[in-house]
Amino acid sequence: MASIEKTKQYLTDFKIHPSFQRIAIMKYLFENPVHPTADEIHTALVAVIPTLSKTTVYNTLSLLSQAGAIKELTIDEKQLHYDGYIREHAHFRCNNCGKIIDVAIDNDTLKIESLEKEHNIIITDTQVFYKGYCNECKNKFNY
Amino acid sequence: MASIEKTKQYLTDFKIHPSFQRIAIMKYLFENPVHPTADEIHTALVAVIPTLSKTTVYNTLSLLSQAGAIKELTIDEKQLHYDGYIREHAHFRCNNCGKIIDVAIDNDTLKIESLEKEHNIIITDTQVFYKGYCNECKNKFNY
DNA sequence: TTGTAAATATGTAATGATTACAAAATTAAA
DNA sequence: TTTAATTTTGTAATCATTACATATTTACAA
Ligand SMILES: [Mn+2]
Ligand SMILES: [Mn+2]
Ligand SMILES: [Zn+2]
Ligand SMILES: [Zn+2]
């Protein structure tokens, strides 16, 4: 239950002006940690804010994402999914029902620093994706 | 330099009928390990096989991918990229030039089995993506 | 307070990667 | 050969995302 005040502060901390729409979208992500798509966010919020445009949802999500306030997940072949929980963690996507769940990951198993040195690169983001069948779907596929 | 014969055998091993077009696409992936998109593959091959349709490239890539003969990378927000090298490894994508390079990864850092038990899921695929700036681009972004 | 510029939001049109579909061509095999 | 199955092709549709122009809201100086 992220309050409006907390959400406003969160955005401000990322130097994002907390407009009414931005607060609504950020708050939605906090309260619905299911990695929704832009369209799902819009559908859910337009029921409460009938004037909310889809463009604003897209614009806001890229703004938040670029500022580092949210994460953009490329786990799905068709659409981007968004995550308001930005602490380092991995994701599992069920190939049958599409559900995306959080999975813990050891922060230092990924060896960022050593990879950066080895390849002379700068790593700014890391994503670990697992795909397969969730506990509800695995039976349907002889597992 | 993957020969046509080796490529044909490779497809057969995955129970894929080695048609002329399929061999060409698979061979292209073997010889161009730069993780091309469907469009890049088509553009390169249509110069040699003028009748090759883009639909065939798309169809073949999903066929190969479903059979496990190639990997489909969702590292890019805009397009899918393909990899003919299927042994477990991670990828780094430069946010500036878009280049995707292979990165070694410790096979057992990902703890597949323990995650499967913990969440009661089946994991059939794992992708590790790093994003940032490559050695050629990092200077342009004060790193 | 009022006026004006900057920032933000909106609606519609365009883009472009991918897929659907039906017809044509090729291959298998009866 | 004939016929059926597989594969390829070309075109049209889909649909998530972006571009763009306009409208609205907010900031802030006079
Ligand atoms: Mn998450
Ligand atoms: Mn690779
Ligand atoms: Zn499932
Ligand atoms: Zn680069």
Side-chain angles (χ1 to χ4, degrees):
Chain A
M1 302 301 110
S3 72
I4 291 177
E5 278 312 312
K6 290 258 180 186
T7 306
K8 193 182 285 192
Q9 184 59 52
Y10 183 83
L11 293 177
T12 306
D13 289 345
F14 281 98
K15 309 210 188 309
I16 292 168
H17 178 79
S19 71
F20 179 68
Q21 289 87 342
R22 289 171 183 172
I23 293 170
I25 291 166
M26 190 67 241
K27 190 161 174 290
Y28 182 83
L29 283 173
F30 281 146
E31 294 175 350
N32 298 274
V34 293
H35 318 94
T37 64
D39 193 66
E40 287 167 347
I41 296 168
H42 179 257
T43 300
L45 288 181
V46 82
V48 183
I49 308 167
T51 58
L52 182 69
S53 77
K54 197 170 278 193
T55 300
T56 294
V57 175
Y58 276 104
N59 287 343
T60 300
L61 289 172
S62 27
L63 182 75
L64 295 174
S65 175
Q66 280 198 290
I70 66 175
K71 285 250 182 194
E72 191 175 71
L73 307 183
T74 58
I75 196 172
D76 190 317
E77 300 74 27
K78 312 281 177 194
Q79 303 136 274
L80 293 172
H81 289 254
Y82 293 91
D83 196 343
Y85 180 62
I86 58 173
R87 299 243 311 270
E88 186 100 309
H89 65 290
H91 292 97
F92 168 83
R93 201 268 322 261
C94 175
N95 288 333
N96 185 239
C97 68
K99 180 168 58 184
I100 299 172
I101 64 174
D102 287 342
V103 163
I105 192 161
D106 221 347
N107 212 335
D108 42 37
T109 52
L110 296 170
K111 311 200 176 65
I112 311 274
E113 288 87 359
S114 75
L115 283 177
E116 287 184 322
K117 275 179 194 154
E118 183 183 348
H119 295 276
N120 194 31
I121 57 181
I122 299 289
I123 294 173
T124 56
D125 186 32
T126 303
Q127 303 271 348
V128 178
F129 298 140
Y130 298 96
K131 299 180 186 181
Y133 298 96
C134 79
N135 57 355
E136 290 165 20
C137 295
K138 59 193 281 198
N139 308 314
K140 301 170 196 157
F141 295 87
N142 25 335
Y143 283 115
Chain B
M1 300 304 109
S3 71
I4 291 176
E5 278 312 313
K6 289 259 179 183
T7 306
K8 192 182 285 191
Q9 185 59 51
Y10 183 83
L11 293 177
T12 306
D13 289 346
F14 281 98
K15 308 209 189 309
I16 292 169
H17 177 79
S19 72
F20 179 68
Q21 290 85 343
R22 289 171 182 171
I23 294 170
I25 291 166
M26 190 68 241
K27 190 161 173 289
Y28 182 83
L29 282 173
F30 281 146
E31 294 177 349
N32 298 274
V34 294
H35 317 94
T37 64
D39 192 65
E40 287 167 346
I41 296 168
H42 179 256
T43 299
L45 288 180
V46 83
V48 182
I49 309 167
T51 57
L52 181 69
S53 77
K54 197 171 278 192
T55 300
T56 294
V57 175
Y58 275 104
N59 286 344
T60 300
L61 291 171
S62 29
L63 182 75
L64 295 173
S65 175
Q66 280 198 289
I70 65 174
K71 285 251 180 191
E72 191 175 71
L73 307 184
T74 59
I75 196 172
D76 190 317
E77 300 74 27
K78 312 282 178 193
Q79 302 137 276
L80 293 172
H81 289 254
Y82 293 89
D83 196 343
Y85 179 63
I86 59 174
R87 299 245 309 274
E88 186 98 309
H89 65 289
H91 292 97
F92 168 82
R93 201 267 323 260
C94 176
N95 288 332
N96 184 236
C97 67
K99 181 169 56 183
I100 299 173
I101 64 175
D102 286 343
V103 164
I105 192 162
D106 222 346
N107 211 336
D108 42 38
T109 53
L110 297 171
K111 309 200 177 66
I112 312 273
E113 288 86 1
S114 74
L115 283 177
E116 287 184 322
K117 276 179 193 153
E118 182 183 348
H119 295 277
N120 194 28
I121 58 181
I122 299 289
I123 294 173
T124 57
D125 186 33
T126 304
Q127 303 271 350
V128 178
F129 298 139
Y130 298 96
K131 298 180 188 181
Y133 296 96
C134 79
N135 55 356
E136 289 165 19
C137 295
K138 59 193 282 198
N139 307 314
K140 300 171 195 157
F141 294 87
N142 24 337
Y143 282 116

